[in-house]
Amino acid sequence: MSGVSPFPDLNPAQRAAVEHEEGPLLVVAGAGSGKTRVLTARIARLIAQCDVAPREILAVTFTNKAAGEMRERVSRALGEDPAGMWIGTFHGIGARLLRMHAPLVGRTSEYTIYDEDDSLGVIKRLMERHRISVKEFAPKAIAAEIGAAKNALVDVEEFDSLARTPLATAAAKVYRDLEITLRAANAVSFDDLLVLPVQILRANEDVRVRLARRFRHVLVDEYQDTNRAQYEFVRLVAAEHRNVAVVGDDDQAIYGWRGADIRNILDFERDFPSARVVRLEENYRSTSAILDLANRVISENTARRGKTLRATRSGGEQVVLLEAADDRDEAEAIAEGVQAWRAAGRRLSEIAVLYRTNAQSRGFEEVMRRGAIPYRLVGAVRFYDRREIRDLIAWLRLVANPADDEAFRRAIGAPKRGVGETTLELLAAEAQQAGIPLLEQARRAPGISGMRTATRDALASFVALVDRLRAAAADTSVDRLLVDLIDRSGYGEALRAEGPEGLDRLDNVRELVTSAAETIIDDGGEVGLRPLDHFLQRATLVTALDALGPDADAVTMMTVHTAKGLEYPFVCVTGLEDGLFPLARAFDDPDTLEEERRLLYVAITRAGERLWLSWAHQRRRNGELLPSIRSSFLRNLAAAALEDRRTVRLRATARHAGSMATGSWRRGASDESPAFGRGSRPSWSPREGARVPSFLADEDASQDLPRFVAGERVQHARFGSGTIAEVNGTGKDAKVTVDFDDEEVGRKRLVIAFAGLQRGHD
């Protein structure tokens, strides 16, 4: 195979990385610089021209797909399969090593790998043993604490000594018994596939030496994403020959929140002082305008090696900075851009809409649906199909229709209240015999024999809350109804107890409240059961959408984390506001803030031809329109680097604001806002609904809302002219009852903040 040339047409930096033979090598590979090509060409050259047998090579990456592609490319370059080479993920390699040496960690080679559900089952039983309440600490949160400790190679004793929070203290008790339980079951957790191989290599020098001598060359992809356990495994295996080649990009290190340690790539020469460093800076994906922006953004970080991407593609459009009035306006403007791209003969599958959090997808999903634009969510469930959204929709369905037994079955367990399947089946049997709905049968729980007192109390409490909400629905907007439901049912607290995943779900709950508020706006501020029915109908139609096939021409929507490693001709990076991108918590931690900036760098470098960045002056949170401030990441960019573009609605609003330039709209848009100094945490101050001009003061200053009195004539955009009969409430809860002149409209209850009422001139 000596005549094989597996590395044609490489640029000088790529060739240097491929042809490096002995000693440690760090390849700092910028986005779109051909790192996968370099890795596979290097492996092929070692085998074809450097007298290295395939069995002497260990290649590690992060996904099975990447490992499969790497093997396939090497096979094509060599003209044959590299039989004997170890190539796979860290977990796959760890499982293989563990099979070979299972007795050294108290297992047999037939050990079982527990999936997430299996592991959670063990953790729940251990929590019961230690009398740790699953209501106070979600098993998933305990599992996350233990998993983070394992990946950082923190053993039970060290973890116990470091435990400072109630959650960590509870996790320490479970952690202590977990290994004993798993060993007794001849099982390992997913995290153990990283940890136990390291334990084997550390405690058994003969095994380590044998493995290290076999693998003359160790290659690692995405090295910036390695955690402590993965780093230690690589160091131990490569210690003998020191022929370790790692490829990665410190500017794309975005997984610190799940244990990845950027210091592994920044301090590579600390462990391998003779390491050669090669930088791949030629980008084959993006235009020069896009790369110039990426370089400007990432240059603000201090914890980086430093490199400058250079475009190999000439020309290209200027990057657009889209400024919108609010998040709905932002989504509609991006949908217009998508339609224009399609009208120009381009495919929708060439477009990606990226956002910082999954909760942001809801607004884009609804706008795409209204515009009949096919879309696909990657790495997430469609908004209205998410567990927490379906839970709350079930509650609302039951409030709107007390005879909805399916809604009852779901709502009674959201959150869990000690009413199990046995009780439900008992209720169902009694209800069927009596010919009544489950909710009505639950009212009769005190008369059912054989039911525990605690269960009776739980059912009575549930029924009372449904009754309360149903009574309130006649005079309360859907968003307020949801807030009351989430608070009084304990659903919000239940999600918080689930740990990080629960907090993400809570973001989605907030988006549901926002969606409900938008329904009230669309209904002209009317409250009562009809808007609730309208809202539920809209939600049901969303969930009934048919799933797109894998080859459908559709816009791709996903978080920036999910987009890593992908590329699209047209990319929209949305929600670039302080408190959202970067997240608010990043302002308390410089390291987290730098990771957020790296995340923006990753988002920008997904784009090939066209890039839009967008932000909104106001964004709905918990159903309220709150002022936003353009992301601090965009502040130091030269004006020439971006094409500033404002939406039609924003331009109209600005003209309307006119002489009120000193109002809060202008202050909110300023980079020097007194409420949000550079580097500090955003100080959100609530605002009223979309119908209220953006320059109004805080919601508590209710004197800024229109004041109406009984007997006054008013005009409504949908319902026409009428006379105010009653005025109730203050601030955001202020309502009016209006007798409209049109007999078919009749009397309506309206939320003033959403109604857009004008004083009549009869």
Side-chain angles (χ1 to χ4, degrees), residues 103-253:
L104 297 177
V105 285
R107 272 74 166 180
T108 73
S109 59
E110 292 80 23
Y111 68 83
T112 299
I113 300 173
Y114 278 1
D115 62 17
E116 182 181 4
D117 288 341
D118 295 328
S119 297
L120 283 175
V122 175
I123 286 173
K124 287 177 183 177
R125 288 192 293 275
L126 293 176
M127 290 175 68
E128 291 173 5
R129 180 187 301 174
H130 289 283
R131 297 182 179 178
I132 299 170
S133 170
V134 295
K135 293 183 178 180
E136 185 177 3
F137 302 110
K140 281 191 176 182
I142 296 287
E145 287 281 316
I146 295 173
K150 286 188 173 185
N151 288 324
L153 297 180
V154 175
D155 61 22
V156 172
E157 285 70 25
E158 184 179 2
F159 186 83
D160 194 24
S161 67
L162 294 173
R164 294 290 183 272
T165 66
L167 175 62
T169 301
K173 296 176 182 177
V174 175
Y175 190 9
R176 185 168 296 279
D177 289 349
L178 184 59
E179 169 60 15
I180 299 170
T181 304
L182 290 174
R183 184 179 298 198
N186 194 30
V188 298
S189 69
F190 200 61
D191 294 321
D192 287 333
L193 296 178
L194 300 179
V195 176
L196 294 181
V198 171
Q199 290 182 11
I200 290 171
L201 296 178
R202 280 178 168 179
N204 301 274
E205 181 67 8
D206 58 329
V207 176
R208 187 200 65 77
V209 170
R210 188 161 63 249
L211 198 69
R213 285 178 179 172
R214 171 183 172 169
F215 293 122
R216 289 172 55 192
H217 287 270
V218 178
L219 300 96
V220 185
D221 192 13
E222 302 287 3
Y223 192 66
Q224 78 281 349
D225 293 335
T226 52
N227 59 33
R228 175 69 185 179
Q230 291 159 336
Y231 156 83
E232 185 68 5
F233 177 79
V234 171
R235 189 187 68 81
L236 290 167
V237 175
E240 195 75 14
H241 293 289
R242 299 181 66 79
N243 291 328
V244 55
V246 303
V247 181
D249 184 4
D250 52 304
D251 289 335
Q252 295 187 72

Side-chain angles (χ1 to χ4, degrees), residues 558-759:
M558 58 190 153
T559 64
V560 181
H561 279 102
T562 305
K564 187 172 181 291
L566 303 177
E567 57 184 86
Y568 295 86
F570 181 11
V571 171
C572 303
V573 186
T574 65
L576 281 164
E577 299 139 30
D578 278 338
L580 183 57
F581 201 169
L583 295 177
R585 63 173 178 264
F587 292 96
D588 295 331
D589 179 8
D591 291 341
T592 302
L593 189 62
E594 293 218 340
E595 181 161 315
E596 289 283 303
R597 190 178 284 110
R598 291 194 293 270
L599 193 61
L600 176 57
Y601 173 83
V602 166
I604 291 170
T605 53
R606 299 311 94 198
E609 301 173 30
R610 178 179 295 178
L611 174 65
W612 284 13
L613 311 176
S614 66
W615 73 284
H617 281 269
Q618 297 182 102
R619 191 165 294 273
R620 291 172 181 83
R621 300 166 192 264
N622 295 326
E624 302 287 350
L625 259 180
L626 306 179
S628 301
I629 300 172
R630 188 177 66 183
S631 174
S632 53
F633 290 161
L634 302 176
R635 287 178 184 161
N636 296 323
L637 303 179
L642 299 168
E643 175 195 336
D644 289 318
R645 189 178 298 180
R646 308 177 93 197
T647 65
V648 173
R649 186 147 71 86
L650 180 62
R651 292 197 300 270
T653 306
R655 286 194 297 272
H656 179 67
S659 61
M660 305 191 71
T662 58
S664 62
W665 174 286
R666 300 286 179 165
R667 290 198 306 271
S670 169
D671 291 341
E672 302 302 325
S673 167
F676 186 80
R678 180 174 175 82
S680 64
R681 178 184 291 275
S683 177
W684 304 114
S685 56
R687 292 292 191 269
E688 292 298 339
R691 298 287 183 181
V692 180
S694 55
F695 42 79
L696 288 181
D698 292 353
E699 63 175 357
D700 290 335
S702 58
Q703 67 271 16
D704 284 335
L705 284 173
R707 288 186 176 183
F708 296 102
V709 295
E712 189 172 6
R713 295 285 292 171
V714 291
Q715 185 79 23
H716 187 277
R718 278 184 59 193
F719 306 135
S721 300
T723 303
I724 293 178
E726 296 177 7
V727 181
N728 305 100
T730 59
K732 62 179 179 295
D733 293 318
K735 302 180 188 72
V736 290
T737 301
V738 182
D739 291 322
F740 286 98
D741 299 343
D742 188 332
E743 291 183 1
E744 292 187 5
V745 175
R747 173 169 285 198
K748 297 288 185 184
R749 290 275 288 167
L750 306 173
V751 178
I752 294 175
F754 295 130
L757 290 173
Q758 302 294 323
R759 287 184 166 83

Side-chain angles (χ1 to χ4, degrees), residues 289-449:
I290 294 170
L291 292 184
D292 178 60
L293 177 67
N295 289 327
R296 288 171 184 266
V297 166
I298 202 62
S299 65
E300 293 291 312
N301 273 9
T302 58
R304 63 189 298 258
R305 287 181 164 274
K307 66 178 182 305
T308 301
L309 292 179
R310 300 185 298 273
T312 58
R313 301 177 58 183
S314 57
E317 302 178 9
Q318 195 173 19
V319 176
V320 169
L321 178 59
L322 180 66
E323 187 178 349
D326 56 36
D327 44 343
R328 176 185 267 186
D329 188 35
E330 174 191 47
E332 290 171 347
I334 285 176
E336 290 172 6
V338 167
Q339 296 281 36
W341 180 269
R342 179 162 63 175
R346 301 297 294 267
R347 290 180 59 80
L348 294 178
S349 57
E350 296 177 318
I351 305 173
V353 176
L354 308 182
Y355 31 76
R356 178 63 184 83
T357 67
N358 272 316
Q360 291 168 257
S361 76
R362 197 269 313 167
F364 292 105
E365 287 185 64
E366 296 193 354
V367 168
M368 296 293 177
R369 283 188 63 255
R370 286 202 301 270
I373 302 172
Y375 68 89
R376 176 184 292 107
L377 288 187
V378 176
V381 179
R382 286 175 182 263
F383 182 80
Y384 285 96
D385 287 337
R386 293 167 189 168
R387 181 248 290 175
E388 59 277 14
I389 303 305
R390 293 178 70 87
D391 285 347
L392 293 173
I393 291 294
W395 270 95
L396 292 181
R397 282 170 48 196
L398 188 60
V399 168
N401 175 19
D404 189 335
D405 285 352
E406 289 305 309
F408 177 94
R409 287 178 178 274
R410 185 166 191 125
I412 194 69
K416 295 185 184 304
R417 60 187 70 247
V419 179
E421 284 300 319
T422 302
T423 301
L424 278 176
E425 292 311 312
L426 178 61
L427 281 176
E430 297 273 356
Q432 185 176 12
Q433 186 175 356
I436 59 176
L438 283 173
L439 182 66
E440 188 59 33
Q441 183 60 45
R443 294 185 196 281
R444 305 180 181 183
I448 300 176
S449 61

